[in-house]
């Protein structure tokens, strides 16, 4: 039993050693997201960028949350990636709220 426990501890240490330190950044976009099609366009295009591990979008909050590997990309590079598919992005400050522009129309609906 002690041998098994020792092996489990060694396995856990080796897994923690190889775990990456991912970072998260939150963007808002221009034009704004209006629908699921907007979200899918962003997710579908960003997923091909190097270092991206996860993308979450929220139309009501106007946020695109990206988890990434800082060894492979930066928030600045990710901002430029949005431009490839017709959006401008900027990093939101902690706690910053974005109001939805009700006058803006969606081309994807």
């Amino acid at each position: 039993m002690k041998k098994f426990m020792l092996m489990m501890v060694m396995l856990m240490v080796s897994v923690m050693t190889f775990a990456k330190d991912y970072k998260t950044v939150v963007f808002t976009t221009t034009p704004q997201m209006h629908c699921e099609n907007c979200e899918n366009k962003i997710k579908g295009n960003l997923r091909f960028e190097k270092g991206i591990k996860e993308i979450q979008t929220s139309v009501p909050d106007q946020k695109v949350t990206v988890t990434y590997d800082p060894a492979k990309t930066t928030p600045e590079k990710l901002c430029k990636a949005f431009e490839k598919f017709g959006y401008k992005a900027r990093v939101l400050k902690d706690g910053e709220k974005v109001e939805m522009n009700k006058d803006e129309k969606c081309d994807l609906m």
Side-chain angles (χ1 to χ4, degrees):
M1 185 68 175
K2 285 184 181 182
K3 199 174 195 180
F4 176 75
M5 292 297 282
L6 180 60
M7 286 174 45
M8 290 303 292
V9 169
M10 289 174 50
L11 179 63
M12 288 174 57
V13 168
S14 68
V15 168
M16 290 189 311
T17 303
F18 291 111
K20 295 264 186 179
D21 284 330
Y22 296 132
K23 293 192 176 190
T24 300
V25 62
V26 181
F27 298 98
T28 192
T29 63
T30 303
Q32 290 187 330
M33 296 180 290
H34 298 92
C35 62
E36 187 177 339
N37 292 334
C38 296
E39 291 178 299
N40 289 337
K41 181 177 181 180
I42 290 170
K43 288 177 181 177
N45 283 282
L46 275 184
R47 69 186 176 129
F48 293 109
E49 294 298 316
K50 289 182 182 177
I52 291 192
K53 300 301 170 192
E54 183 179 9
I55 305 163
Q56 296 177 343
T57 55
S58 172
V59 171
D61 296 329
Q62 289 300 305
K63 292 181 180 179
V64 179
T65 305
V66 179
T67 302
Y68 66 97
D69 181 347
K72 295 183 179 180
T73 193
T74 65
E76 293 78 16
K77 287 180 184 176
L78 295 173
C79 274
K80 288 184 190 222
F82 279 88
E83 293 176 13
K84 294 177 187 176
F85 52 93
Y87 285 87
K88 289 189 179 185
R90 71 174 177 83
V91 176
L92 289 177
K93 297 178 178 96
D94 286 342
E96 182 179 355
K97 304 276 187 217
V98 178
E99 294 294 321
M100 190 148 183
N101 184 349
K102 302 288 185 194
D103 296 327
E104 194 177 270
K105 302 293 179 213
C106 178
D107 295 333
L108 300 175
M109 292 176 82

